Amino acid sequence: IRLGYEQIKSAVPLVSPMKIFRSPSVRPIAVAVRMLRTHPEKHWTLADLARDLGMSRSSLATHFSAYVGIGPMEYLTSVRMEKAAHLVQNRHDLSLSAVSRQVGYSHTSSFVRAFKAHFGAPPKAFGNQGGTDVAHAAAVPAVIGLELAVPSL
């Protein structure tokens, strides 16, 4: 089955809101999710993200994985690939170099390798086909409730 970007995005697993609202540690994780989704182009490191949140790297990694289901850097890669897929499919005026910069990659070759590893096809093939095989797509987990837990920054 071949699905487009919106169909893949709508098929992602959801994190239970009940799990999220039981812990006082949700606020920094919600802030982290918002930061990564809002600025995927930034050259994030786990140390920088933890410092910005006032947490240790291990605490951030542990709590993030518990709430989101994957680690912060893996989540960032998924966010970047989600945005890249959208750009490749909808912005034919952008070069691969421009897309790679908009999603946080300094080198186009690194971006193409990451995209192919994530979706199972290079960006040009993905864009030309209008979607990807769901078996190869690792969509961003939808984090229900985290956005509600944090007021706008």
Side-chain angles (χ1 to χ4, degrees):
I1 294 178
R2 298 205 84 62
L3 296 177
Y5 166 77
E6 289 300 322
Q7 291 167 311
I8 292 169
K9 190 175 171 185
S10 67
V12 298
L14 302 177
V15 175
S16 166
M18 294 308 294
K19 180 179 180 183
I20 290 169
F21 291 119
R22 286 188 204 151
S23 173
S25 60
V26 70
R27 181 168 172 70
I29 304 309
V31 171
V33 165
R34 180 168 288 156
M35 291 167 67
L36 296 174
R37 288 196 75 76
T38 305
H39 300 288
E41 75 287 349
K42 185 176 175 185
H43 295 280
W44 294 102
T45 66
L46 184 59
D48 291 339
L49 187 58
R51 186 190 62 243
D52 290 350
L53 296 168
M55 299 176 77
S56 70
R57 290 177 303 186
S58 62
S59 179
L60 172 60
T62 299
H63 286 97
F64 196 100
S65 294
Y67 291 122
V68 180
I70 56 177
M73 296 299 101
E74 186 179 355
Y75 182 80
L76 174 61
T77 298
S78 293
V79 168
R80 286 175 170 171
M81 293 301 109
E82 176 187 303
K83 181 176 180 180
H86 178 74
L87 292 172
V88 166
Q89 286 185 325
N90 298 298
R91 293 289 310 273
H92 301 288
D93 58 315
L94 293 177
S95 67
L96 280 181
S97 178
V99 171
S100 67
R101 283 190 309 274
Q102 286 190 29
V103 297
Y105 286 86
S106 302
H107 303 288
T108 305
S109 59
S110 297
F111 163 69
V112 170
R113 274 193 307 276
F115 193 98
K116 187 173 181 180
H118 193 81
F119 288 110
K124 286 193 183 236
F126 186 92
N128 292 338
Q129 295 171 1
T132 188
D133 188 331
V134 174
H136 297 291
V140 179
V143 186
I144 303 300
L146 282 180
E147 291 296 318
L148 299 174
V150 179
S152 296
L153 300 175

